[in-house]
Each structure stands twice: as C-alpha cells, then as structure tokens.
Amino acid sequence: MELSDGRSATLTANLIGVGLATFLLVYTQRRGSENLQHFLLPGFCGGLTTFSAVAAFTLEPNEGGQLFLFHNVIFSMFIILLVLPIARKVIAVRP
C-alpha cells in the first residue's frame, strides 16, 4: 500500500509521538514528578500525535482505511519495543 502525503505525515507524527511518549514515561517515572507526567504525556505528546486523523483515514475504505489503522498500531508497538529498553538503559533511577 502506497501512502498519500497526508497519510505518511500522519503516520510519521504518530510514530514520533509514540517514541517520545515512551521515553518521557520512563523519564517521569524515574526522575520526574507526576504533575510533569500528566502535562507532557497527554498534553504535549497528545497534541503531537494525530490519532484523530487515523480515525478519519480509517473510515475511507477505498483508500485502505483498515490497513492504515493496522500499520499505525503495529508500527507504534514496534516503536515502543524499540524505545523502551533504550530509555531504561539511558535514564538512571533517581536515588
């Protein structure tokens, strides 16, 4: 499936947001505060990701909507599996 420019941009923004959210989750759990976590994850990362656009693209069956949703979910899970161990190695637990 070839992605249109809008779909490619949406997928890219979502994957960057998922990777950043994963890293920030580890950071705030190990060094940050709960308030910082509530600000950064749903606030900043929620604004960066465009999962509402994914929902809109999914409703376009002639454009491969379900496959686009599948790609978003699978690639997002892959990003989490990639970033989580790196973040755990890089970010030390606050004493």
Side-chain angles (χ1 to χ4, degrees):
M1 175 178 98
E2 188 175 317
L3 297 176
S4 68
D5 286 342
R7 288 173 182 243
S8 297
T10 300
L11 181 61
T12 301
N14 288 342
L15 296 179
I16 290 169
V18 166
L20 185 59
T22 302
F23 187 85
L24 289 173
L25 179 64
V26 173
Y27 179 82
T28 56
Q29 286 180 341
R30 292 186 173 196
R31 292 195 181 166
S33 69
E34 191 172 317
N35 290 334
L36 184 64
Q37 183 176 358
H38 290 297
F39 171 73
L40 290 175
L41 294 177
F44 180 74
C45 292
L48 174 64
T49 59
T50 53
F51 285 104
S52 58
V54 172
F57 285 134
T58 301
L59 297 175
E60 298 175 0
N62 294 339
E63 301 291 325
Q66 296 294 325
L67 186 58
F68 182 68
L69 176 63
F70 178 76
H71 284 154
N72 267 273
V73 171
I74 295 302
F75 292 152
S76 293
M77 296 299 289
F78 176 73
I79 292 294
I80 292 168
L81 292 173
L82 182 71
V83 172
L84 191 59
I86 293 170
R88 286 180 174 163
K89 254 186 183 176
V90 171
I91 302 168
V93 178
R94 181 174 27 172

